[in-house]
Amino acid sequence: MKAPLITMNDGHQIPAVGLGTFQIRGGVGVDQVLTAIQDGYRLLDTSTNYDSEGVVGEAIRRSGLPRSEFFVTTKLPGKYHAYEDALMMIQESLFRMGLDYFDLYLIHWPLPKRGLYVEAWQALVRAQKLGLIRSIGVSNFEPEHLDKIIEETGVTPAVNQIEIHPYWVQERMLKANKERGILTEAWSPLGRGNDALKETVIAELAEKHGKTPAQIILRWHAERGILPIPKSRNLIHQRENLAIFDFELTQEEVGRINLLEKADGRIDDQDPNEYEEFE
């Protein structure tokens, strides 16, 4: 089973669901990513700060599939936002993964208090011109951050990967991304350990559609035009998370899930205007 493709604003295509690799590490992690590849995952999402770049690169090599089969995403850590540092880190990540290019490279967090995210974006634009990256994007950027980098460079991100799940619906950011022609990706789309999977409305829809609660939530993302990046080490869950394209939710059903949103629904209260990455 493979996910359908979505065309981004730069003309490149990306699978409509990906595998998150946060905290997937070591030899066991390589096996977990390999099973996902064997089940049809082609979008593999990692980050320097996840410490899983090497695992993903090794799984790609062991898969026996050509590099062109994969869509590989990784992300720039905050401590390398300065222009030259960013260019060097992009190359370092390529060396770590044993790849010649990334399909998508993101600035992980804007860190506006440091004020270097424009420099970082300029470095990504340069790396794209050098052929190190095919598509460039951002993660956790607010509208003012998006507008600043677009104004400074004339280059619009292909993707903005943000926190979205039933407790943090993000209508505001989804609208902002759409207005700028930017594809929205969701990190922690199932809520990372919160109780969204246990909500009554989710259980009712799962029973109605003959799907799991996780499949209902992932389909909710897809119906909203969002590309979810669920993480799972479990083979069965990996397969289920990919099998979300053979049914649909009505707009009324999507609306019922939207009502689960909470004012304090963020995971770890990670406000992009305040959050200092992993410090």
Side-chain angles (χ1 to χ4, degrees):
M1 182 184 300
K2 288 186 183 179
L5 298 175
I6 297 171
T7 301
M8 298 181 289
N9 62 20
D10 61 4
H12 290 300
Q13 292 187 312
I14 182 172
V17 65
L19 179 75
T21 62
F22 179 62
Q23 295 182 337
I24 291 181
R25 299 172 180 165
V28 172
V30 173
D31 290 339
Q32 290 162 350
V33 176
L34 263 176
T35 62
I37 291 171
Q38 290 162 358
D39 279 329
Y41 284 89
R42 293 297 179 265
L43 168 53
L44 306 176
D45 182 280
T46 182
S47 167
T48 301
N49 277 332
Y50 296 172
D51 295 326
S52 62
E53 287 178 323
V55 161
V56 172
E58 182 63 19
I60 289 171
R61 283 187 292 278
R62 291 190 192 180
S63 74
L65 297 173
R67 167 68 181 91
S68 59
E69 281 278 309
F70 294 96
F71 193 102
V72 181
T73 301
T74 194
K75 308 177 190 78
L76 180 72
K79 63 182 177 180
Y80 297 119
H81 274 198
Y83 182 84
E84 292 295 338
D85 287 343
L87 282 176
M88 293 301 105
M89 194 62 230
I90 291 165
Q91 295 170 67
E92 173 63 23
S93 289
L94 285 169
F95 296 146
R96 290 182 187 187
M97 298 188 73
L99 301 175
D100 294 325
Y101 67 91
F102 291 120
D103 297 277
L104 177 63
Y105 194 89
L106 310 178
I107 300 174
H108 205 154
W109 288 87
L111 309 180
K113 292 181 179 179
R114 302 187 190 188
L116 294 174
Y117 64 87
V118 172
E119 270 191 56
W121 184 244
Q122 290 167 334
L124 266 62
V125 172
R126 176 61 177 161
Q128 186 181 40
K129 291 176 179 176
L130 292 172
L132 302 178
I133 308 167
R134 292 193 170 175
S135 295
I136 56 177
V138 295
S139 184
N140 304 299
F141 272 47
E142 291 286 298
E144 59 269 28
H145 308 141
L146 296 171
D147 289 340
K148 190 170 180 62
I149 62 174
I150 294 168
E151 180 182 334
E152 292 283 344
T153 65
V155 179
T156 300
V159 163
N160 187 10
Q161 185 182 117
I162 58 178
E163 177 183 353
I164 310 178
H165 45 79
Y167 291 159
W168 195 247
V169 173
Q170 289 271 45
E171 278 292 334
R172 175 184 65 91
M173 279 307 308
L174 187 57
K175 181 174 182 287
N177 288 337
K178 283 181 179 177
E179 288 174 347
R180 293 159 180 78
I182 299 169
L183 174 65
T184 301
E185 289 186 343
W187 59 261
S188 293
L190 300 175
R192 196 194 298 175
N194 65 29
D195 291 331
L197 289 164
K198 302 175 185 176
E199 290 284 350
T200 300
V201 62
I202 302 296
E204 289 175 355
L205 291 174
E207 183 175 0
K208 174 184 174 181
H209 290 279
K211 293 290 183 177
T212 67
Q215 287 172 321
I216 294 298
I217 293 175
L218 294 175
R219 185 66 211 182
W220 167 75
H221 285 282
E223 297 288 0
R224 301 174 70 215
I226 298 164
L227 193 166
I229 309 286
K231 183 205 81 173
S232 179
R233 300 183 178 93
N234 182 289
L235 173 60
I236 294 172
H237 291 166
Q238 287 176 353
R239 289 176 178 169
E240 290 173 348
N241 291 346
L242 199 57
I244 61 169
F245 301 103
D246 58 352
F247 77 106
E248 296 179 352
L249 298 177
T250 67
Q251 285 307 298
E252 185 270 337
E253 289 169 339
V254 169
R256 289 177 65 196
I257 298 174
N258 287 352
L259 293 174
L260 295 173
E261 184 165 40
K262 299 181 177 182
D264 59 350
R266 283 191 194 274
I267 295 171
D268 299 330
D269 195 29
Q270 292 177 328
D271 181 348
N273 287 305
E274 302 293 332
Y275 182 59
E276 288 293 298
E277 183 182 8
F278 301 103
E279 290 190 355

